[in-house]
Amino acid sequence: AVCLPAWAKVDLAVDDSVEVYLGDSAQISCQYNFSAASQPSVVMIQWFVGRKDGNSSRMRIFYGDDSQQMVDDNTPYSGRIAVTSDQQASLLAIQDVRLSDEREFFCQVNGLAAGNAEGKTHLRVFAVVCNPVGCGSCLMVKVSLWIFSQVASCEARNGFPKPNITWYRNSTPLLPAQGHVNVLTLVTRESNGFYSVQSTLEYKVLKEDKDAQFVCEVSFSVPGAVRTAESKAVNLTIYYPTTMVELWKESPQGLVKEGDTVELRCQGDGNPPPPFVFSREQDPAVDLESRGNVLMLSAVSRKDSGVYRCRPLDVEPLAEVTGDVQLTVHYLDPAVVVPKDSEVMFKGESLTATCNALSSLKTSTVWYKDGKQVGTGNTLLLQDATYETTGEYVCEVTVPSLPALHTSGFVHIIVQGAPHMHDMDREVELEEATGRLVNLSCEAHGHPLPSISWSIVGSQGWHEVVSKANEHTAHSVVSVKVTSDISALCNASNDMGTEIKAFSIKASKSLSLNPTAEGNGVIIVVIILCILLLAILGSILYFLHKKGKIPCGRSGKQEISKENTTKDDIVVEMKTNPMEEAVLLKGVNGDKKSPSDQLGLNSPLPYI
């Protein structure tokens, strides 16, 4: 700002204002410029301060010219200020700025005939307000719904200039509104000059404010800016009665079956959450045992199905504030199979078996026999029964929508009938060699279990070698020696009838065995083995002789024989001369036999 009288011949410039923190140093500059035509010979500088009590008078704090520089005594600035001046400017420095230093400072320049001028600067002092969380408080109180009351207060202390407090609900500033929002502010000037501000929020609480966050914000000025500080966000504790209740099945998830443990949970919109009582719609006067807002039903059955109800205790007994839920307990009764347990059928008959299980849901039925599926649905039709039809039939009933529900039943089918032979031929004709042993087999099915008996004509040498039976099958094997033509009958019988299988065996002499030929064959085999052994022995002796290990006569041959021989004795002679016969078989009379006679090759071969 330029403050020059109209007649002055000097230009003077000072700062409009200077801002400084409490306790810091402040500098106020005063610049002046005389015209070239009126340069003063002497320049006098004076600094004044305005009084804060509203008095328009001034107090000088400094005087200086070319010959002297003097700080006035007995002023609040004695000892705290310093002034430096030259022909163009004067600089006032204030140490340890106080709150009382916030006032106007005047710079007066006098060049006598060259002119004079005066300018003023406002010194602003700032003290940072204490954080509202640390120095102030946000006291939250418990309030009731729809009542206009004091809900919170916030205080900021020791600030300068005076701080401001603004209330926010979920980041939205709360503006005064008649009957809904009102803010009471109390400003206190402390003895040390600081300001303390207390703000009280009066608010009409609604149910929607249950989860809202309220914050007080303190704003204060600093040199060149405005700063803010927030309190910690808090929630109101609001008391209001329950107006709505919800009851639901917490567990198990999905459908409920008999034997399950069911948890019903109740919740209302009242605050604080009230206790609840549970009952059934069928008997509302009887309270069920519960724990808080949870009702546990253990090992439920179909009798536990129905409508369950919960009611809060923070409302009037006649108030219709309840929560309901329908509980359905599903079930599947044991399977009932008709015919029951076991059923006897005659061979060739038909039978219809049924399997039913009472259930609250749609069921699926599958029939199995020996682990294999044989039918589906509630009925099983067995047509033209055979012995293979006999067995245990199991029906399994399941609930597709609730797989944990399943049951089963069974029926044992027995097919009754006369014996039945497994073989296709009822008359068997055989031709066997005389003297041979022949096994005859007979197997029959039937119920009751057939018994097997044999009738054999033409052989006394027979006996049963196998006799076994299971539930429906009998099996017998006899061994018969063929000495002549044989007729054999296998008779399988039970209470339902009889079946016969006939065997006819023709004895054949042309197929009979030759004992003599058989004996000759054995002798030939023995002779061949002996010749092989002797040949090996001769090879060993010949090898040793060549090595000089065994001394021999001129002929170089040895006889291996017995002095006394009897008829049919066998003499084996080994020779080292390769031109001589290697092996000679002699009779007792010394006659040489042909090789064919020696080996008996003209004798008949044995029967194998």
Side-chain angles (χ1 to χ4, degrees):
V2 179
C3 301
L4 293 175
W7 48 264
K9 297 179 181 180
V10 59
D11 296 327
L12 188 143
V14 294
D15 297 323
D16 284 338
S17 64
V18 173
E19 296 179 343
V20 64
Y21 282 112
L22 180 69
D24 287 351
S25 298
Q27 292 183 345
I28 303 175
S29 175
C30 178
Q31 298 181 356
Y32 43 86
N33 184 23
F34 292 91
S35 64
S38 57
Q39 287 295 322
S41 58
V42 177
V43 177
M44 294 181 294
I45 303 296
Q46 296 184 85
W47 285 91
F48 298 88
V49 295
R51 297 187 182 275
K52 302 189 65 173
D53 54 4
N55 194 333
S56 60
S57 62
R58 304 176 182 180
M59 178 174 58
R60 194 183 74 175
I61 60 174
F62 175 81
Y63 171 83
D65 54 24
D66 293 343
S67 60
Q68 60 178 345
Q69 304 285 325
M70 181 181 64
V71 176
D72 291 304
D73 295 330
N74 300 321
T75 70
Y77 297 94
S78 299
R80 287 199 302 127
I81 64 172
V83 178
T84 57
S85 303
D86 56 22
Q87 294 297 321
Q88 294 182 343
S90 178
L91 181 64
L92 172 64
I94 306 173
Q95 305 296 323
D96 189 20
V97 174
R98 305 169 183 172
L99 292 181
S100 58
D101 293 336
E102 181 161 331
R103 61 180 70 197
E104 290 180 337
F105 287 77
F106 299 88
C107 171
Q108 190 178 88
V109 179
N110 189 352
L112 301 177
N116 58 73
E118 183 182 274
K120 66 177 178 179
T121 297
H122 187 84
L123 180 62
R124 300 190 62 189
V125 181
F126 295 89
V128 178
V129 69
C130 192
N131 193 307
V133 175
C135 300
S137 62
C138 286
L139 306 175
M140 293 302 171
V141 297
K142 299 176 181 179
V143 295
S144 299
L145 192 65
W146 304 309
I147 298 177
F148 188 75
S149 58
Q150 177 180 326
V151 297
S153 65
C154 185
E155 185 177 10
R157 296 177 181 175
N158 299 329
F160 193 89
K162 179 177 68 68
N164 294 315
I165 294 179
T166 305
W167 287 96
Y168 289 84
R169 178 188 180 277
N170 292 339
S171 302
T172 301
L174 290 174
L175 302 178
Q178 183 66 32
H180 185 63
V181 178
N182 186 38
V183 178
L184 301 177
T185 303
L186 176 62
V187 180
T188 303
R189 183 70 182 269
E190 306 292 347
S191 59
N192 55 8
F194 291 103
Y195 288 96
S196 294
V197 179
Q198 184 177 20
S199 178
T200 301
L201 175 64
E202 293 180 342
Y203 189 77
K204 184 177 183 180
V205 179
L206 302 178
K207 189 179 295 186
E208 293 77 10
D209 297 317
K210 181 173 69 72
D211 297 320
Q213 292 185 334
F214 291 82
V215 173
C216 74
E217 178 189 79
V218 178
S219 60
F220 51 92
S221 298
V222 295
V226 175
R227 293 183 182 176
T228 60
E230 286 187 353
S231 67
K232 184 179 178 181
V234 294
N235 299 90
L236 296 181
T237 301
I238 306 173
Y239 289 146
Y240 49 87
T242 302
T243 59
M244 183 181 67
V245 174
E246 181 182 7
L247 177 63
W248 70 92
K249 176 172 65 70
E250 182 72 16
S251 65
Q253 299 297 321
L255 300 176
V256 179
K257 68 180 187 302
E258 287 189 321
D260 285 344
T261 296
V262 178
E263 178 182 341
L264 301 181
R265 189 175 292 270
C266 187
Q267 181 175 314
D269 61 350
N271 193 50
F276 295 90
V277 291
F278 292 83
S279 62
R280 294 183 65 179
E281 187 180 54
Q282 297 88 327
D283 196 358
V286 177
D287 292 340
L288 303 176
E289 184 177 352
S290 61
R291 185 178 69 253
N293 65 329
V294 176
L295 174 64
M296 300 295 294
L297 302 173
S298 301
V300 295
S301 67
R302 67 195 72 182
K303 295 180 181 180
D304 294 314
S305 296
V307 177
Y308 287 79
R309 176 170 296 163
C310 70
R311 178 173 58 85
L313 295 180
D314 63 342
V315 297
E316 296 296 330
L318 298 180
E320 294 295 329
V321 181
T322 60
D324 297 339
V325 67
Q326 171 70 46
L327 176 64
T328 301
V329 181
H330 296 284
Y331 57 88
L332 177 64
D333 287 344
V336 177
V337 181
V338 178
K340 184 179 180 181
D341 296 336
S342 63
E343 181 72 10
V344 177
M345 299 175 60
F346 289 105
K347 186 178 178 182
E349 283 188 340
S350 296
L351 174 70
T352 299
T354 61
C355 177
N356 293 285
L358 184 63
S359 175
S360 57
L361 297 169
K362 186 177 180 180
T363 60
S364 174
T365 305
V366 180
W367 293 85
Y368 296 92
K369 180 178 183 287
D370 299 329
K372 297 181 179 180
Q373 182 177 328
V374 295
T376 58
N378 298 91
T379 60
L380 176 66
L381 178 60
L382 302 176
Q383 292 181 310
D384 192 17
T386 64
Y387 292 123
E388 286 72 20
T389 308
T390 299
E392 185 175 84
Y393 293 80
V394 178
C395 70
E396 292 189 358
V397 183
T398 58
V399 179
S401 58
L402 191 54
L405 284 180
H406 56 84
T407 185
S408 63
F410 73 93
V411 59
H412 192 79
I413 300 298
I414 302 173
V415 178
Q416 194 173 68
H420 171 70
M421 299 288 186
H422 270 223
D423 307 277
M424 296 297 296
D425 298 329
R426 294 295 176 264
E427 295 184 4
V428 180
E429 295 183 357
L430 302 172
E431 184 177 0
E432 296 291 342
T434 302
R436 291 289 299 271
L437 290 175
V438 179
N439 289 335
L440 304 180
S441 177
C442 186
E443 184 174 344
H445 281 275
H447 190 84
L449 180 68
S451 62
I452 296 178
S453 61
W454 292 88
S455 176
I456 300 176
V457 178
S459 175
Q460 298 299 322
W462 69 273
H463 63 281
E464 190 174 36
V465 294
V466 175
S467 178
K468 60 182 180 179
N470 55 29
E471 189 176 1
H472 305 291
T473 303
H475 185 204
S476 176
V477 178
V478 296
S479 180
V480 180
K481 185 173 183 179
V482 180
T483 56
S484 61
D485 292 347
I486 297 174
S487 295
L489 295 179
C490 171
N491 189 336
S493 62
N494 62 11
D495 295 341
M496 306 303 296
T498 301
E499 185 157 299
I500 296 175
K501 182 177 181 179
F503 297 88
S504 178
I505 304 175
K506 183 178 181 180
S508 176
K509 294 182 179 180
S510 61
L511 299 176
S512 62
L513 299 175
N514 190 334
T516 303
E518 183 176 355
N520 291 336
V522 173
I523 294 173
I524 291 172
V525 172
V526 172
I527 291 174
I528 292 173
L529 291 175
C530 290
I531 291 173
L532 292 174
L533 292 174
L534 290 174
I536 295 171
L537 179 60
S539 299
I540 295 173
L541 294 175
Y542 177 75
F543 176 78
L544 296 175
H545 169 66
K546 287 296 184 180
K547 295 293 184 179
K549 300 297 183 179
I550 300 177
C552 295
R554 184 178 60 85
S555 62
K557 60 181 179 180
Q558 296 178 344
E559 287 186 353
I560 302 174
S561 63
K562 293 184 179 180
E563 294 182 357
N564 297 322
T565 60
T566 60
K567 187 178 182 179
D568 296 332
D569 283 347
I570 300 174
V571 177
V572 179
E573 184 180 44
M574 303 296 295
K575 294 187 178 183
T576 60
N577 190 340
M579 298 303 294
E580 294 181 312
E581 293 180 7
V583 179
L584 178 65
L585 302 179
K586 290 185 177 182
V588 69
N589 297 325
D591 298 331
K592 185 177 181 179
K593 295 183 181 181
S594 66
S596 62
D597 291 337
Q598 294 174 31
L599 295 177
L601 297 179
N602 293 330
S603 301
L605 294 173
Y607 179 82
I608 298 175

